[in-house]
């Protein structure tokens, strides 16, 4: 398969970072006043960047067909309905450009050229957020105070406003006769965007007669406007409404109720259009962000993924069955270069967060993702996946937290996924750097980003199940076992380097999710600050003294001087040197200085050891010392928590049970850490290497938790027997 960098070409403004936030926030008023960014204000550029959705095609056919007289049966009243950011305002801008006689850049199959006017039609466009019920909108020498006053001004300027001036100043809705004077029989397009937002503030404004408020009068005017449009052959009213789950839900529901009554007023049924269909998000974002996509490469990539998923199922990897179906392969071709799981998650989960604003939010986010990928060019980028959302970029992290009113998730990113501080790494980064195989993709970070995106929503669907997670993370040639290992370390189920377990990652037996409340691992990490390194080393010294018991060997712990190690022919001595006094490395060829001193001398530095064959030395691996101390420190922290009866009452039964299990596991971890650290055995040998001081070195076999002998002296004896360096009564 080819990488996306070989098969796709992003638009120049995407690569250059010119897609500023305001360019994703289409504003109808700016377009009408000719102050909009060219991406919206320039008709040709606007249409070239616009994917013609089925909703847009239907809208254009209805509105332009009615105003031109080419489709007289079209509805006089159209309601655009979807969530915020779902394409409503974008469609109104398209109507405005066409009503002004501009169709350059629009595909030919969208509208007949003969339908587009040669000179502009009467057009008015109002945005609820721009209206000011208290102060009005200033237009030089006059100020409009109502929806009808603003419509009159936009259609006829000051002269048109005088027709409705009295109604505007008294805040009382006019009748159809006034609209007849204003518009007459001319083709007219009247667009009202985000009217529900305006109604909320209009409720607080009383009319001149004190018998109603401006919100009630605005709804009454809307009914009049619809009645007027229904009586004319070439007048069309288009209103946008968000769905009832969005902001201003109460006002939206009120309008819907009133509009249902309007059906009786209008001789024709209102037409409800959804600007962007469920399956059209991929077409919109690929069209907007890329100027060239190799569709043959898309098919080859989809085939490669399908073969990969089939192999994974044969290997009994848990992925959803839908990934094996032909329609999923087709979906991958359609969504290319985006992976279907990315667009599906944004469209069905993240878009349920009101502030994400659906299509607009997806475009803003994905533009940054595309630019970042083309700058970094990761080698295995066959598609753009969820884990390609670089939460290390401040703009993206802000989009995913503060912009979505999820500021507490910022600490989740910085602690568990990617740290913004130089010289500091988050837990997923630490796992990728230390605990997984070198040269492999950053599986922990990829997995964490996937879980994070699924964790931003609220409700029963929060989080992601293991099969869906595997489908989103795995790329062709990836190792699913390493993803499972990364998850285990992140949840502290499998031992990685100390401090790698995530603080905010939770697993409830069904789904992985990040929560803003810390996990037990975070509680333990906080407790570590109460357990100093000195205290941890004191505990470690005591535990070391219990690992090698007096049996065949007489253990001698931590001698620093020759006088502390007896020189006699009695029981052989196993000398365990303190990890701070002597340590070795895997590549060392010479014995540590303290080992040589104790081996050569007895009593004092003036005397020489006679019974050299009666002593062996255990030395710690310098690379394991810090880890050994860390594990003891963690063990003591858990013991402090479990031993505090009052504190344990703050945890749930499940958490108390898990803490006690963690204490038992940590107890064994300490013993394992000690045996893995003390892995170098120095013994007398006539064939010792040059510089070895008469001592050879043997590396003791690594032992896992289930293999650790209670008495490690037997391990030393077994190794020496294999080396034929010791005789027992059986020989």
């Amino acid at each position: 398969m080819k990488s996306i960098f070989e098969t796709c070409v992003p638009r120049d403004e995407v690569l250059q970072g010119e897609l500023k936030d305001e360019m994703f926030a289409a504003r109808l008023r700016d377009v009408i006043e000719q102050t909009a960014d060219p991406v919206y204000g320039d008709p040709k550029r606007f249409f070239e960047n616009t994917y013609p959705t089925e909703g847009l095609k239907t809208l254009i056919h209805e509105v332009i067909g009615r105003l031109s007289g080419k489709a007289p049966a079209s509805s006089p009243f159209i309601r655009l309905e979807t969530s915020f950011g779902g394409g409503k305002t974008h469609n109104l801008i398209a109507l405005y450009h066409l009503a002004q006689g501009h169709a350059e850049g629009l595909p030919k199959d969208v509208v007949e050229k003969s339908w587009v006017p040669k000179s502009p039609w009467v057009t008015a466009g109002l945005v609820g957020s721009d209206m000011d019920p208290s102060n009005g909108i200033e237009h030089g020498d006059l100020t409009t105070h109502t929806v009808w006053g603003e419509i009159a001004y936009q259609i006829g300027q000051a002269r048109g406003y005088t027709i409705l001036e009295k109604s505007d100043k008294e805040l009382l809705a006019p009748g159809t006769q006034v609209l007849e004077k204003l518009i007459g029989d001319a083709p007219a397009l009247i667009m009202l965007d985000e009217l529900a937002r305006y109604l909320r503030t209009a409720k607080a404004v009383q009319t001149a007669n004190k018998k109603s408020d401006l919100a009630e009068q605005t709804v009454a005017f809307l009914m009049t406007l619809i009645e007027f449009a229904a009586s004319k052959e070439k007048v069309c009213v288009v209103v946008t409404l968000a769905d009832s789950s969005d902001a201003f839900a109460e006002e939206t529901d009120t309008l819907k109720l009133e509009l249902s009554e309007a059906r009786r007023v209008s001789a024709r049924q209102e037409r409800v259009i959804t600007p962007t269909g469920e399956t059209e998000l991929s077409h919109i974002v690929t069209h907007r962000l890329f100027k060239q996509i190799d569709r043959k490469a898309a098919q080859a990539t989809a085939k490669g993924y399908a073969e990969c998923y089939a192999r994974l199922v044969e290997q009994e990897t848990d992925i959803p069955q839908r990934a094996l179906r032909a329609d999923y392969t087709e979906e991958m071709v359609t969504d290319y270069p985006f992976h279907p799981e990315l667009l599906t998650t944004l469209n069905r989960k993240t878009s349920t967060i009101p502030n994400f604003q659906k299509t607009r939010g997806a475009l803003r986010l994905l533009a940054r993702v595309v630019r970042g990928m083309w700058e970094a060019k990761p080698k295995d980028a066959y598609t753009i996946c969820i884990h390609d959302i670089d939460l290390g970029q401040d703009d993206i992290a802000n989009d995913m937290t503060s912009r979505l009113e999820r500021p507490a998730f910022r600490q989740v990113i910085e602690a568990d996924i990617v740290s913004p501080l130089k010289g500091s790494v988050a837990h997923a980064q630490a796992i990728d750097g230390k605990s997984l195989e070198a040269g492999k993709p950053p599986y922990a970070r990829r997995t964490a980003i996937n879980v994070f995106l699924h964790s931003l929503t609220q409700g029963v669907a929060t989080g992601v199940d293991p099969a869906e997670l595997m489908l989103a993370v795995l790329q062709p040639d990836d190792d699913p076992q390493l993803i499972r290992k990364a998850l285990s370390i992140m949840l502290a189920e499998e031992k990685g380097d100390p401090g790698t377990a995530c603080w905010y990652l939770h697993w409830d037996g069904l789904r992985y999710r990040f929560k803003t409340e810390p996990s037990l691992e975070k509680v333990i990490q906080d407790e570590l600050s109460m357990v100093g390194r000195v205290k941890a080393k004191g505990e470690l010294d005591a535990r070391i003294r219990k690992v090698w018991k007096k049996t065949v060997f007489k253990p001698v712990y931590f001698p620093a001087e020759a006088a502390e190690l007896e020189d006699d022919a009695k029981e052989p001595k196993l000398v365990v040197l303190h990890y701070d006094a002597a340590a070795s490395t895997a590549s060392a060829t010479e014995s540590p200085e303290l080992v040589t001193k104790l081996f050569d001398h007895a009593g004092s530095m003036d005397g020489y050891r006679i019974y050299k064959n009666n002593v062996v030395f255990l030395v710690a691996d310098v690379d394991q010392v810090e880890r050994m101390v860390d594990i003891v420190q963690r063990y003591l922290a858990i013991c402090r928590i479990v031993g505090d009866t009052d504190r344990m009452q703050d945890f749930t039964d499940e958490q108390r049970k898990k803490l006690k299990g963690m204490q038992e596991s940590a107890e064994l971890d300490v013993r394992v850490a000690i045996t893995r650290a003390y892995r170098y055995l120095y013994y007398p040998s006539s064939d010792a290497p040059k510089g070895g001081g008469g001592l050879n070195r043997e590396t003791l076999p690594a032992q896992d938790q289930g293999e650790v002998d209670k008495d490690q002296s037997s391990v030393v004896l077994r190794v020496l027997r294999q080396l034929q360096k010791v005789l027992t009564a059986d020989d």
Side-chain angles (χ1 to χ4, degrees), residues 198-361:
Y198 170 74
L199 292 181
R200 177 167 294 184
T201 54
K203 286 180 182 178
V205 180
Q206 291 292 310
T207 60
N209 59 18
K210 306 295 184 182
K211 293 182 180 181
S212 65
D213 59 48
L214 183 56
E216 293 172 336
Q217 290 297 308
T218 301
V219 173
F221 170 70
L222 184 57
M223 300 303 103
T224 300
L225 186 61
I226 294 171
E227 182 181 356
F228 173 75
S231 69
K232 296 292 182 178
E233 293 183 355
K234 296 184 179 182
V235 175
C236 188
V237 177
V238 182
V239 175
T240 71
L241 287 181
D243 61 41
S244 299
S245 63
D246 276 324
F248 315 106
E250 181 182 345
E251 292 77 13
T252 297
D253 288 339
T254 298
L255 267 178
K256 286 182 179 178
L257 181 61
E258 295 290 345
L259 292 175
S260 67
E261 294 296 321
R263 294 173 183 172
R264 301 190 184 97
V265 176
S266 172
R268 302 179 181 89
Q269 191 85 350
E270 69 169 334
R271 183 70 185 267
V272 179
I273 298 174
T274 300
T276 304
E278 180 75 14
T279 61
E280 293 180 308
L281 179 62
S282 63
H283 295 293
I284 294 170
V285 296
T286 54
H287 184 87
R288 181 66 187 89
L289 301 179
F290 292 90
K291 62 182 178 182
Q292 183 178 323
I293 296 175
D294 185 343
R295 287 298 163 190
K296 289 185 178 179
Q299 294 175 346
T301 299
K303 181 181 178 182
Y305 272 87
E307 293 170 351
C308 167
Y309 296 145
R311 287 194 302 270
L312 290 171
V313 171
E314 290 176 0
Q315 298 165 4
E316 299 185 351
T317 300
D318 187 17
I319 61 172
Q321 283 297 313
R322 60 185 173 83
L324 303 179
R325 298 172 187 156
D327 55 356
Y328 191 81
T329 303
E330 293 174 5
E331 185 179 350
M332 182 161 281
V333 174
T334 301
D335 293 355
Y336 187 81
F338 297 101
H339 193 287
E341 296 308 299
L342 170 57
L343 297 186
T344 298
T345 304
L346 291 177
N347 195 29
R348 296 183 182 175
K349 292 190 89 171
T350 315
S351 67
T352 62
I353 305 171
N355 284 15
F356 185 70
Q357 299 183 324
K358 207 163 188 177
T359 308
R360 186 188 307 167

Side-chain angles (χ1 to χ4, degrees), residues 285-488:
V285 296
T286 54
H287 184 87
R288 181 66 187 89
L289 301 179
F290 292 90
K291 62 182 178 182
Q292 183 178 323
I293 296 175
D294 185 343
R295 287 298 163 190
K296 289 185 178 179
Q299 294 175 346
T301 299
K303 181 181 178 182
Y305 272 87
E307 293 170 351
C308 167
Y309 296 145
R311 287 194 302 270
L312 290 171
V313 171
E314 290 176 0
Q315 298 165 4
E316 299 185 351
T317 300
D318 187 17
I319 61 172
Q321 283 297 313
R322 60 185 173 83
L324 303 179
R325 298 172 187 156
D327 55 356
Y328 191 81
T329 303
E330 293 174 5
E331 185 179 350
M332 182 161 281
V333 174
T334 301
D335 293 355
Y336 187 81
F338 297 101
H339 193 287
E341 296 308 299
L342 170 57
L343 297 186
T344 298
T345 304
L346 291 177
N347 195 29
R348 296 183 182 175
K349 292 190 89 171
T350 315
S351 67
T352 62
I353 305 171
N355 284 15
F356 185 70
Q357 299 183 324
K358 207 163 188 177
T359 308
R360 186 188 307 167
L363 276 171
R364 181 176 56 243
L365 172 64
L366 294 177
R368 291 192 172 116
V369 171
V370 169
R371 185 188 180 198
M373 289 191 71
W374 256 257
E375 288 177 349
K377 285 191 167 55
K379 62 181 180 180
D380 58 346
Y382 306 118
T383 57
I384 301 173
C385 304
I386 291 176
H387 52 251
D388 291 313
I389 299 175
D390 185 3
L391 296 176
Q393 288 188 33
D394 188 66
D395 286 343
I396 291 180
N398 184 63
D399 268 3
M400 295 284 92
T401 54
S402 299
R403 185 185 284 271
L404 301 184
E405 296 185 357
R406 305 287 193 273
F409 275 96
R410 190 67 181 244
Q411 65 188 5
V412 174
I413 294 175
E414 296 178 356
D416 287 345
I417 303 175
V418 54
S419 173
L421 303 176
K422 290 185 178 180
S424 174
V425 294
H427 297 119
Q429 291 174 294
I431 293 171
D432 289 326
K434 298 179 180 179
S435 302
L436 296 180
E437 292 183 18
K440 294 290 185 180
Y443 288 126
R445 184 173 171 181
R446 288 183 174 184
T447 304
I449 293 172
N450 272 272
V451 175
F452 179 84
L453 194 64
H454 284 274
S455 302
L456 295 173
T457 57
Q458 296 176 342
V460 294
T462 303
V464 58
D465 69 62
E468 297 285 347
L469 182 59
M470 278 290 184
L471 178 61
V473 175
L474 280 171
Q475 302 295 293
D477 303 323
D478 277 356
D479 184 352
Q481 190 58 39
L482 287 178
I483 296 175
R484 297 189 193 100
K485 181 178 180 180
L487 278 165
S488 295

Side-chain angles (χ1 to χ4, degrees), residues 607-627:
Y608 292 93
R609 185 168 299 281
I610 298 172
Y611 299 100
K612 288 187 172 184
N613 275 359
N614 212 29
V615 61
V616 293
F617 301 87
L618 267 180
V619 176
D621 181 348
V622 68
D623 295 329
Q624 294 289 325
V625 170
E626 280 300 307
R627 187 174 191 277

